[in-house]
Amino acid sequence: SGLVCAVYEANGVNLPRLTASGYASSPLFKGVKMDEALPGDLLFFAPKGKGISHVGIYLGGGKMQHQPAKGKSSKAIPLAGYYPVQKVRRYVG
């Protein structure tokens, strides 16, 4: 979620520091369907099967930017073959 704050801040939006699940339920974001996702939308995952615990930023073209783990570098990856998207949320301020 630190990546989310950094990217949004670089684009003039100061978000509160939240966990991935916090952004997934924040009133600053509205839900959209994956087939309506736009670059900048947040994608949420439950890689441990116990609820939302990971977030990426949709880049378009079936790719997202994410930080795979704390202390690891951010990178762009294809969504194909990754965990299923649980939620898609768009910033509405």
Side-chain angles (χ1 to χ4, degrees):
S1 55
L3 173 66
V4 170
C5 285
V7 169
Y8 273 76
E9 187 174 306
N11 287 282
V13 177
N14 290 314
L15 295 175
R17 179 78 162 102
L18 300 171
T19 63
S21 60
Y23 286 121
S25 60
S26 170
L28 296 172
F29 294 87
K30 72 173 184 172
V32 295
K33 295 177 182 175
M34 185 62 210
D35 63 354
E36 298 170 345
L38 298 172
D41 287 348
L42 301 183
L43 307 179
F44 296 91
F45 303 89
K48 297 177 183 173
K50 298 179 183 177
I52 302 294
S53 64
H54 190 66
V55 60
I57 301 171
Y58 189 58
L59 299 174
K63 294 184 179 180
M64 75 165 174
Q65 187 79 23
H66 81 134
Q67 185 173 2
K70 189 174 183 174
K72 300 278 185 178
S73 295
S74 164
K75 62 182 179 178
I77 64 166
L79 291 170
Y82 196 68
Y83 297 99
V85 174
Q86 302 295 311
K87 285 187 175 188
V88 180
R89 307 274 286 166
R90 180 169 298 148
Y91 179 75
V92 293

Coordinates of all heavy atoms in Angstrom, one line a residue:
S1 N 0.8 -1.2 0.0 CA 0.0 0.0 0.0 C 0.9 1.3 0.0 O 0.4 2.3 -0.3 CB -1.0 0.0 1.2 OG -0.3 -0.2 2.4
G2 N 2.1 1.1 0.4 CA 3.0 2.3 0.3 C 3.2 2.7 -1.2 O 3.3 3.9 -1.5
L3 N 3.2 1.8 -2.1 CA 3.3 2.1 -3.5 C 2.1 2.9 -4.0 O 2.2 3.9 -4.7 CB 3.4 0.8 -4.3 CG 3.3 0.9 -5.9 CD1 4.5 1.7 -6.4 CD2 3.1 -0.4 -6.5
V4 N 0.9 2.5 -3.5 CA -0.3 3.2 -3.8 C -0.2 4.7 -3.4 O -0.4 5.6 -4.2 CB -1.6 2.6 -3.2 CG1 -2.8 3.5 -3.4 CG2 -1.8 1.2 -3.8
C5 N 0.2 4.9 -2.2 CA 0.4 6.3 -1.7 C 1.4 7.1 -2.5 O 1.2 8.2 -2.9 CB 0.9 6.3 -0.2 SG -0.4 5.9 0.9
A6 N 2.5 6.5 -2.8 CA 3.6 7.1 -3.6 C 3.1 7.5 -5.0 O 3.4 8.6 -5.5 CB 4.8 6.3 -3.7
V7 N 2.4 6.6 -5.7 CA 2.0 6.9 -7.1 C 0.9 7.9 -7.1 O 1.0 8.9 -7.9 CB 1.5 5.6 -7.7 CG1 0.8 5.8 -9.0 CG2 2.7 4.6 -8.0
Y8 N 0.0 7.8 -6.2 CA -1.1 8.8 -6.1 C -0.5 10.2 -5.7 O -0.9 11.2 -6.3 CB -2.2 8.4 -5.2 CG -3.3 7.5 -6.0 CD1 -3.0 6.2 -6.3 CD2 -4.5 8.1 -6.4 CE1 -3.9 5.4 -6.9 CE2 -5.4 7.3 -7.0 CZ -5.1 6.0 -7.3 OH -6.0 5.2 -8.0
E9 N 0.4 10.2 -4.8 CA 1.0 11.5 -4.4 C 1.7 12.1 -5.5 O 1.7 13.4 -5.7 CB 1.9 11.3 -3.2 CG 2.5 12.6 -2.6 CD 3.3 12.4 -1.4 OE1 2.8 11.7 -0.4 OE2 4.5 12.8 -1.4
A10 N 2.4 11.3 -6.3 CA 3.2 11.9 -7.5 C 2.2 12.5 -8.5 O 2.6 13.3 -9.3 CB 4.0 10.8 -8.1
N11 N 0.9 12.1 -8.4 CA -0.1 12.6 -9.3 C -1.0 13.6 -8.6 O -2.1 13.9 -9.1 CB -0.9 11.5 -9.9 CG -0.1 10.7 -10.9 OD1 0.1 11.2 -12.0 ND2 0.5 9.6 -10.5
G12 N -0.5 14.2 -7.5 CA -1.2 15.3 -6.8 C -2.4 14.9 -5.9 O -3.1 15.7 -5.4
V13 N -2.4 13.6 -5.5 CA -3.5 13.1 -4.6 C -2.8 12.5 -3.3 O -2.0 11.6 -3.4 CB -4.3 12.0 -5.3 CG1 -5.4 11.5 -4.3 CG2 -5.0 12.5 -6.5
N14 N -3.1 13.1 -2.2 CA -2.6 12.7 -0.9 C -3.6 11.7 -0.3 O -4.7 12.1 0.1 CB -2.3 13.8 0.0 CG -1.1 14.6 -0.5 OD1 -0.1 14.1 -0.9 ND2 -1.2 15.9 -0.5
L15 N -3.2 10.5 -0.2 CA -4.1 9.4 0.4 C -3.6 9.1 1.8 O -2.4 9.2 2.1 CB -4.1 8.1 -0.4 CG -4.6 8.2 -1.8 CD1 -4.4 6.8 -2.5 CD2 -6.1 8.5 -1.8
P16 N -4.5 8.7 2.7 CA -4.1 8.3 4.0 C -3.4 6.9 3.8 O -3.6 6.2 2.9 CB -5.4 8.1 4.7 CG -6.4 7.9 3.7 CD -6.0 8.7 2.5
R17 N -2.4 6.7 4.7 CA -1.7 5.4 4.7 C -2.6 4.3 5.2 O -3.0 4.4 6.4 CB -0.4 5.5 5.5 CG 0.4 4.3 5.6 CD 1.2 4.1 4.3 NE 2.3 3.2 4.5 CZ 2.3 1.9 4.0 NH1 1.2 1.4 3.4 NH2 3.3 1.1 4.2
L18 N -3.0 3.4 4.4 CA -3.9 2.3 4.8 C -3.4 1.0 4.4 O -2.5 0.9 3.5 CB -5.3 2.5 4.1 CG -6.1 3.7 4.4 CD1 -7.3 3.8 3.5 CD2 -6.5 3.8 5.9
T19 N -3.9 -0.1 4.9 CA -3.6 -1.4 4.4 C -4.3 -1.7 3.1 O -5.2 -0.9 2.7 CB -4.0 -2.5 5.4 OG1 -5.4 -2.5 5.5 CG2 -3.3 -2.3 6.8
A20 N -4.0 -2.7 2.4 CA -4.7 -3.1 1.2 C -6.1 -3.2 1.4 O -7.0 -2.7 0.7 CB -4.1 -4.3 0.6
S21 N -6.5 -3.9 2.5 CA -8.0 -4.0 2.8 C -8.6 -2.7 3.2 O -9.8 -2.5 2.9 CB -8.2 -5.0 3.9 OG -7.5 -4.6 5.1
G22 N -7.9 -1.8 3.7 CA -8.4 -0.4 4.0 C -8.7 0.3 2.7 O -9.8 1.0 2.7
Y23 N -7.9 0.3 1.7 CA -8.2 0.9 0.5 C -9.4 0.2 -0.2 O -10.2 0.9 -0.9 CB -7.0 0.9 -0.5 CG -5.9 1.9 -0.1 CD1 -4.6 1.5 0.2 CD2 -6.2 3.2 0.0 CE1 -3.6 2.3 0.5 CE2 -5.2 4.1 0.3 CZ -3.9 3.7 0.6 OH -3.0 4.6 1.0
A24 N -9.5 -1.1 -0.1 CA -10.5 -1.9 -0.7 C -11.9 -1.4 -0.2 O -12.9 -1.5 -0.9 CB -10.3 -3.4 -0.5
S25 N -12.0 -0.9 1.0 CA -13.2 -0.5 1.6 C -13.4 1.0 1.8 O -14.4 1.5 2.3 CB -13.5 -1.2 2.9 OG -12.4 -0.9 3.9
S26 N -12.4 1.8 1.4 CA -12.3 3.2 1.7 C -13.4 3.9 0.8 O -13.6 3.6 -0.3 CB -11.0 3.8 1.3 OG -11.0 5.2 1.3
P27 N -14.1 4.9 1.4 CA -15.1 5.7 0.7 C -14.4 6.6 -0.4 O -15.1 7.2 -1.2 CB -15.8 6.5 1.8 CG -14.9 6.6 2.9 CD -14.1 5.3 2.9
L28 N -13.1 6.7 -0.4 CA -12.4 7.5 -1.4 C -12.4 6.8 -2.7 O -12.0 7.4 -3.7 CB -10.9 7.7 -1.0 CG -10.7 8.6 0.3 CD1 -9.2 8.6 0.7 CD2 -11.2 10.0 0.1
F29 N -12.8 5.5 -2.7 CA -12.8 4.7 -4.0 C -14.1 4.1 -4.2 O -14.8 3.7 -3.2 CB -11.7 3.6 -3.9 CG -10.3 4.1 -3.8 CD1 -9.7 4.5 -2.6 CD2 -9.6 4.2 -5.0 CE1 -8.4 4.9 -2.5 CE2 -8.3 4.7 -4.9 CZ -7.7 5.1 -3.7
K30 N -14.6 4.0 -5.5 CA -15.8 3.3 -5.8 C -15.5 2.0 -6.5 O -14.5 1.9 -7.2 CB -16.7 4.1 -6.6 CG -16.3 4.3 -8.0 CD -17.3 5.1 -8.9 CE -16.8 5.1 -10.3 NZ -17.8 5.6 -11.2
G31 N -16.3 1.0 -6.4 CA -16.1 -0.3 -7.1 C -16.5 -0.2 -8.5 O -17.4 0.5 -8.9
V32 N -15.7 -0.8 -9.4 CA -15.9 -1.0 -10.8 C -15.7 -2.4 -11.2 O -15.0 -3.2 -10.4 CB -15.1 0.0 -11.7 CG1 -15.4 1.4 -11.4 CG2 -13.6 -0.3 -11.5
K33 N -16.2 -2.8 -12.3 CA -16.0 -4.2 -12.8 C -14.6 -4.3 -13.5 O -14.1 -3.3 -14.1 CB -17.1 -4.6 -13.8 CG -18.4 -4.7 -13.1 CD -19.5 -5.0 -14.1 CE -20.8 -5.0 -13.4 NZ -21.9 -5.2 -14.4
M34 N -14.0 -5.4 -13.5 CA -12.7 -5.6 -14.1 C -12.7 -5.2 -15.5 O -11.8 -4.6 -16.0 CB -12.1 -7.0 -13.9 CG -10.7 -7.2 -14.4 SD -9.6 -6.2 -13.5 CE -8.3 -6.0 -14.7
D35 N -13.8 -5.5 -16.3 CA -13.8 -5.2 -17.7 C -14.0 -3.7 -17.9 O -14.0 -3.2 -19.1 CB -14.8 -6.0 -18.4 CG -16.3 -5.8 -18.0 OD1 -16.5 -5.1 -17.0 OD2 -17.2 -6.4 -18.6
E36 N -14.2 -2.9 -16.9 CA -14.3 -1.5 -16.9 C -13.1 -0.8 -16.4 O -13.0 0.5 -16.3 CB -15.6 -1.0 -16.2 CG -16.9 -1.5 -16.8 CD -18.1 -1.2 -15.9 OE1 -17.9 -0.9 -14.7 OE2 -19.2 -1.4 -16.4
A37 N -12.1 -1.5 -15.9 CA -10.9 -1.0 -15.3 C -10.1 -0.1 -16.2 O -10.0 -0.3 -17.4 CB -10.0 -2.1 -14.7
L38 N -9.6 1.0 -15.6 CA -8.8 2.0 -16.3 C -7.5 2.1 -15.7 O -7.3 1.8 -14.5 CB -9.5 3.4 -16.3 CG -10.9 3.5 -17.0 CD1 -11.5 4.9 -16.7 CD2 -10.7 3.2 -18.5
P39 N -6.4 2.5 -16.4 CA -5.1 2.7 -15.7 C -5.3 3.6 -14.5 O -6.0 4.6 -14.6 CB -4.3 3.4 -16.8 CG -4.9 2.8 -18.1 CD -6.4 2.8 -17.8
G40 N -4.7 3.2 -13.4 CA -4.8 4.0 -12.2 C -5.7 3.3 -11.2 O -5.7 3.6 -10.0
D41 N -6.6 2.5 -11.7 CA -7.5 1.8 -10.7 C -6.8 0.8 -9.9 O -5.7 0.3 -10.3 CB -8.6 1.0 -11.5 CG -9.7 2.0 -12.1 OD1 -9.7 3.2 -11.8 OD2 -10.4 1.4 -13.0
L42 N -7.3 0.6 -8.7 CA -6.6 -0.3 -7.8 C -7.2 -1.7 -7.9 O -8.4 -1.9 -8.0 CB -6.7 0.1 -6.3 CG -6.2 1.5 -6.0 CD1 -6.3 1.8 -4.5 CD2 -4.7 1.7 -6.4
L43 N -6.3 -2.7 -8.0 CA -6.7 -4.1 -8.0 C -6.4 -4.8 -6.7 O -5.2 -4.7 -6.2 CB -6.0 -4.8 -9.2 CG -6.1 -4.1 -10.6 CD1 -5.3 -5.0 -11.6 CD2 -7.5 -4.0 -11.0
F44 N -7.3 -5.5 -6.2 CA -7.1 -6.2 -4.9 C -7.1 -7.7 -5.0 O -7.9 -8.3 -5.7 CB -8.2 -5.7 -3.9 CG -8.1 -4.2 -3.6 CD1 -8.8 -3.3 -4.4 CD2 -7.3 -3.7 -2.6 CE1 -8.7 -2.0 -4.2 CE2 -7.2 -2.4 -2.4 CZ -7.9 -1.5 -3.2
F45 N -6.3 -8.3 -4.2 CA -6.0 -9.7 -4.3 C -6.1 -10.3 -2.9 O -5.7 -9.7 -1.9 CB -4.7 -10.0 -4.9 CG -4.5 -9.5 -6.3 CD1 -4.1 -8.2 -6.4 CD2 -4.9 -10.2 -7.4 CE1 -3.9 -7.6 -7.7 CE2 -4.8 -9.6 -8.7 CZ -4.3 -8.3 -8.8
A46 N -6.4 -11.6 -2.8 CA -6.3 -12.4 -1.5 C -5.4 -13.6 -1.8 O -5.8 -14.7 -1.8 CB -7.7 -12.8 -1.1
P47 N -4.1 -13.3 -1.9 CA -3.2 -14.4 -2.2 C -3.0 -15.5 -1.2 O -2.7 -16.6 -1.5 CB -1.8 -13.7 -2.4 CG -1.9 -12.4 -1.8 CD -3.4 -12.1 -1.8
K48 N -3.4 -15.2 0.1 CA -3.3 -16.2 1.1 C -4.7 -16.8 1.4 O -4.9 -17.6 2.3 CB -2.8 -15.6 2.4 CG -1.4 -15.1 2.2 CD -0.8 -14.4 3.5 CE 0.6 -13.9 3.2 NZ 1.1 -13.1 4.3
G49 N -5.7 -16.4 0.6 CA -7.0 -16.9 0.7 C -7.8 -16.5 2.0 O -8.8 -17.1 2.3
K50 N -7.3 -15.5 2.7 CA -7.9 -15.1 4.0 C -8.3 -13.6 3.9 O -8.2 -12.9 4.9 CB -6.9 -15.3 5.1 CG -6.5 -16.7 5.3 CD -5.5 -16.8 6.4 CE -5.0 -18.3 6.6 NZ -4.0 -18.4 7.6
G51 N -8.8 -13.2 2.8 CA -9.2 -11.8 2.7 C -8.2 -11.0 1.9 O -7.1 -11.4 1.7
I52 N -8.6 -9.8 1.6 CA -7.7 -8.8 0.8 C -6.4 -8.6 1.6 O -6.5 -8.1 2.8 CB -8.4 -7.5 0.6 CG1 -9.7 -7.7 -0.2 CG2 -7.5 -6.5 -0.1 CD1 -9.6 -8.3 -1.6
S53 N -5.3 -8.8 1.0 CA -4.0 -8.5 1.6 C -3.0 -8.0 0.6 O -1.8 -7.8 1.0 CB -3.5 -9.7 2.3 OG -3.2 -10.8 1.4
H54 N -3.4 -7.8 -0.6 CA -2.4 -7.3 -1.6 C -3.1 -6.3 -2.6 O -4.3 -6.5 -2.9 CB -1.8 -8.4 -2.4 CG -0.6 -8.0 -3.2 ND1 0.5 -7.5 -2.7 CD2 -0.5 -8.0 -4.6 CE1 1.4 -7.2 -3.7 NE2 0.8 -7.5 -4.9
V55 N -2.4 -5.3 -3.0 CA -3.0 -4.3 -3.9 C -2.0 -4.0 -5.0 O -0.8 -3.9 -4.8 CB -3.5 -3.0 -3.2 CG1 -2.3 -2.3 -2.5 CG2 -4.2 -2.0 -4.1
G56 N -2.5 -3.8 -6.2 CA -1.7 -3.4 -7.4 C -2.4 -2.2 -8.1 O -3.6 -2.0 -7.8
I57 N -1.7 -1.6 -8.9 CA -2.3 -0.5 -9.7 C -2.4 -0.9 -11.2 O -1.4 -1.3 -11.8 CB -1.4 0.8 -9.6 CG1 -1.3 1.2 -8.1 CG2 -2.0 1.9 -10.4 CD1 -0.3 2.3 -7.8
Y58 N -3.6 -0.8 -11.7 CA -3.8 -1.3 -13.1 C -3.1 -0.3 -14.0 O -3.2 0.9 -13.9 CB -5.3 -1.4 -13.4 CG -5.6 -2.0 -14.7 CD1 -5.2 -3.3 -15.0 CD2 -6.4 -1.3 -15.6 CE1 -5.5 -3.9 -16.2 CE2 -6.7 -1.9 -16.9 CZ -6.2 -3.2 -17.1 OH -6.5 -3.8 -18.3
L59 N -2.4 -0.9 -15.0 CA -1.7 -0.1 -16.0 C -2.4 -0.1 -17.3 O -2.0 0.6 -18.2 CB -0.3 -0.7 -16.2 CG 0.6 -0.7 -15.0 CD1 1.9 -1.4 -15.3 CD2 0.9 0.7 -14.5
G60 N -3.4 -1.0 -17.5 CA -4.0 -1.2 -18.8 C -3.4 -2.4 -19.5 O -2.3 -2.8 -19.1
G61 N -4.0 -2.8 -20.5 CA -3.4 -3.9 -21.3 C -3.2 -5.2 -20.6 O -2.3 -5.9 -20.9
G62 N -3.9 -5.4 -19.5 CA -3.8 -6.7 -18.8 C -2.6 -6.7 -17.9 O -2.1 -7.8 -17.5
K63 N -2.0 -5.5 -17.5 CA -0.8 -5.5 -16.6 C -1.1 -4.6 -15.4 O -2.0 -3.8 -15.4 CB 0.4 -4.9 -17.4 CG 0.8 -5.8 -18.5 CD 2.1 -5.1 -19.1 CE 2.6 -6.1 -20.2 NZ 3.8 -5.5 -20.8
M64 N -0.3 -4.9 -14.4 CA -0.4 -4.0 -13.2 C 1.0 -3.8 -12.6 O 1.9 -4.5 -12.9 CB -1.3 -4.7 -12.1 CG -0.6 -5.8 -11.4 SD -1.4 -6.2 -9.8 CE -0.5 -7.7 -9.3
Q65 N 1.1 -2.7 -11.9 CA 2.3 -2.4 -11.1 C 2.1 -2.8 -9.7 O 1.0 -2.5 -9.1 CB 2.6 -0.9 -11.2 CG 3.9 -0.4 -10.7 CD 5.0 -0.7 -11.6 OE1 4.8 -0.8 -12.8 NE2 6.2 -0.8 -11.1
H66 N 3.0 -3.5 -9.1 CA 2.8 -3.8 -7.7 C 4.2 -4.0 -7.0 O 5.2 -4.1 -7.7 CB 2.0 -5.1 -7.5 CG 2.7 -6.4 -7.8 ND1 2.6 -7.5 -6.9 CD2 3.6 -6.8 -8.7 CE1 3.4 -8.4 -7.3 NE2 4.0 -8.1 -8.4
Q67 N 4.2 -4.0 -5.7 CA 5.4 -4.3 -4.9 C 5.1 -5.7 -4.4 O 4.3 -5.9 -3.5 CB 5.6 -3.3 -3.8 CG 6.8 -3.4 -3.1 CD 7.1 -2.3 -2.1 OE1 6.3 -1.4 -2.0 NE2 8.2 -2.3 -1.5
P68 N 5.9 -6.7 -4.8 CA 5.6 -8.1 -4.5 C 5.7 -8.4 -3.0 O 5.0 -9.2 -2.4 CB 6.6 -8.9 -5.2 CG 7.6 -8.0 -5.9 CD 7.0 -6.6 -5.8
A69 N 6.6 -7.7 -2.3 CA 6.8 -7.8 -0.8 C 7.5 -6.6 -0.2 O 8.2 -5.9 -1.0 CB 7.5 -9.1 -0.5
K70 N 7.3 -6.4 1.0 CA 8.0 -5.3 1.7 C 9.5 -5.4 1.5 O 10.1 -6.5 1.6 CB 7.7 -5.3 3.2 CG 8.2 -4.1 3.9 CD 7.7 -4.2 5.4 CE 8.1 -2.9 6.1 NZ 7.6 -2.8 7.4
G71 N 10.1 -4.3 1.1 CA 11.5 -4.3 0.8 C 11.9 -4.7 -0.6 O 13.1 -4.6 -1.0
K72 N 11.0 -5.2 -1.4 CA 11.2 -5.6 -2.8 C 10.9 -4.4 -3.7 O 10.1 -3.5 -3.4 CB 10.3 -6.8 -3.2 CG 10.6 -8.0 -2.4 CD 11.7 -8.8 -2.9 CE 11.9 -10.1 -2.2 NZ 12.9 -10.9 -2.6
S73 N 11.5 -4.4 -4.9 CA 11.2 -3.3 -5.8 C 9.9 -3.5 -6.5 O 9.4 -4.6 -6.7 CB 12.3 -3.3 -6.9 OG 13.6 -3.0 -6.4
S74 N 9.3 -2.4 -6.8 CA 8.0 -2.4 -7.5 C 8.3 -2.8 -9.0 O 9.3 -2.5 -9.5 CB 7.5 -0.9 -7.5 OG 6.5 -0.8 -8.5
K75 N 7.3 -3.6 -9.5 CA 7.5 -4.0 -10.9 C 6.1 -4.2 -11.6 O 5.1 -4.4 -11.0 CB 8.3 -5.3 -11.0 CG 7.7 -6.5 -10.3 CD 8.7 -7.7 -10.5 CE 8.1 -8.9 -9.8 NZ 9.0 -10.0 -9.9
A76 N 6.2 -4.1 -12.9 CA 5.0 -4.3 -13.8 C 4.9 -5.8 -14.1 O 5.9 -6.4 -14.5 CB 5.0 -3.5 -15.0
I77 N 3.8 -6.4 -14.0 CA 3.6 -7.8 -14.3 C 2.2 -8.0 -15.0 O 1.3 -7.2 -14.9 CB 3.6 -8.7 -13.0 CG1 2.4 -8.4 -12.1 CG2 4.9 -8.6 -12.3 CD1 2.2 -9.5 -11.1
P78 N 2.1 -9.1 -15.8 CA 0.8 -9.4 -16.4 C -0.1 -9.9 -15.4 O 0.3 -10.6 -14.5 CB 1.2 -10.4 -17.5 CG 2.5 -11.0 -17.1 CD 3.2 -10.0 -16.3
L79 N -1.4 -9.7 -15.5 CA -2.4 -10.3 -14.6 C -2.6 -11.7 -14.9 O -3.0 -12.5 -14.0 CB -3.7 -9.5 -14.7 CG -3.7 -8.1 -14.2 CD1 -5.0 -7.3 -14.6 CD2 -3.5 -8.1 -12.7
A80 N -2.4 -12.1 -16.2 CA -2.6 -13.5 -16.6 C -1.7 -14.4 -15.8 O -0.5 -14.1 -15.7 CB -2.4 -13.7 -18.0
G81 N -2.2 -15.4 -15.1 CA -1.4 -16.3 -14.3 C -1.2 -15.8 -12.9 O -0.6 -16.6 -12.1
Y82 N -1.6 -14.6 -12.5 CA -1.5 -14.1 -11.1 C -2.8 -14.5 -10.4 O -3.7 -15.1 -10.9 CB -1.3 -12.6 -11.2 CG -0.8 -12.0 -9.9 CD1 0.5 -12.3 -9.4 CD2 -1.6 -11.2 -9.1 CE1 1.0 -11.8 -8.2 CE2 -1.1 -10.7 -7.9 CZ 0.2 -11.0 -7.5 OH 0.6 -10.5 -6.3
Y83 N -2.8 -14.2 -9.1 CA -4.0 -14.5 -8.3 C -5.3 -13.8 -8.9 O -5.1 -12.7 -9.6 CB -3.9 -14.0 -6.9 CG -2.7 -14.7 -6.2 CD1 -1.5 -14.1 -6.1 CD2 -2.9 -15.9 -5.6 CE1 -0.5 -14.7 -5.4 CE2 -1.9 -16.6 -5.0 CZ -0.7 -16.0 -4.8 OH 0.4 -16.6 -4.2
P84 N -6.4 -14.4 -8.7 CA -7.7 -13.7 -9.3 C -7.9 -12.3 -8.6 O -7.7 -12.2 -7.4 CB -8.8 -14.7 -8.9 CG -8.1 -16.0 -8.6 CD -6.7 -15.6 -8.1
V85 N -8.3 -11.4 -9.4 CA -8.7 -10.1 -8.9 C -10.0 -10.2 -8.0 O -11.0 -10.8 -8.5 CB -8.9 -9.1 -10.0 CG1 -9.4 -7.7 -9.5 CG2 -7.6 -8.9 -10.8
Q86 N -9.9 -9.8 -6.8 CA -11.1 -9.8 -5.9 C -12.0 -8.6 -6.0 O -13.2 -8.7 -5.9 CB -10.6 -10.0 -4.5 CG -9.8 -11.2 -4.2 CD -10.6 -12.5 -4.5 OE1 -11.7 -12.7 -4.0 NE2 -10.0 -13.4 -5.3
K87 N -11.3 -7.4 -6.2 CA -12.0 -6.1 -6.2 C -11.3 -5.2 -7.1 O -10.0 -5.3 -7.2 CB -12.2 -5.5 -4.9 CG -13.1 -6.0 -3.9 CD -13.2 -5.1 -2.7 CE -14.3 -5.7 -1.8 NZ -14.6 -4.7 -0.7
V88 N -12.0 -4.3 -7.8 CA -11.4 -3.2 -8.5 C -12.0 -1.9 -8.0 O -13.3 -1.9 -7.9 CB -11.7 -3.3 -10.1 CG1 -11.0 -2.2 -10.8 CG2 -11.2 -4.7 -10.6
R89 N -11.2 -1.0 -7.7 CA -11.7 0.3 -7.1 C -11.1 1.5 -7.8 O -9.9 1.5 -8.1 CB -11.4 0.3 -5.6 CG -11.9 -0.8 -4.8 CD -13.3 -0.8 -4.3 NE -13.3 0.2 -3.2 CZ -14.4 0.7 -2.7 NH1 -15.5 0.4 -3.2 NH2 -14.3 1.5 -1.7
R90 N -11.9 2.5 -8.0 CA -11.5 3.7 -8.7 C -11.5 4.9 -7.7 O -12.5 5.1 -7.0 CB -12.4 4.0 -9.9 CG -12.0 5.2 -10.7 CD -12.7 5.3 -12.0 NE -12.3 4.1 -12.8 CZ -13.2 3.5 -13.7 NH1 -14.4 4.0 -13.9 NH2 -12.7 2.5 -14.4
Y91 N -10.5 5.7 -7.8 CA -10.5 6.9 -6.9 C -11.5 7.9 -7.3 O -11.7 8.2 -8.5 CB -9.1 7.6 -7.0 CG -8.9 8.8 -6.1 CD1 -8.8 8.7 -4.8 CD2 -9.0 10.1 -6.7 CE1 -8.7 9.8 -4.0 CE2 -8.9 11.2 -5.9 CZ -8.8 11.1 -4.6 OH -8.7 12.2 -3.8
V92 N -12.3 8.4 -6.3 CA -13.3 9.4 -6.5 C -13.1 10.6 -5.6 O -13.8 11.6 -5.7 CB -14.8 8.8 -6.4 CG1 -15.1 7.8 -7.5 CG2 -15.0 8.2 -5.0
G93 N -12.2 10.5 -4.7 CA -11.9 11.6 -3.8 C -12.9 11.8 -2.8 O -13.1 12.6 -2.0

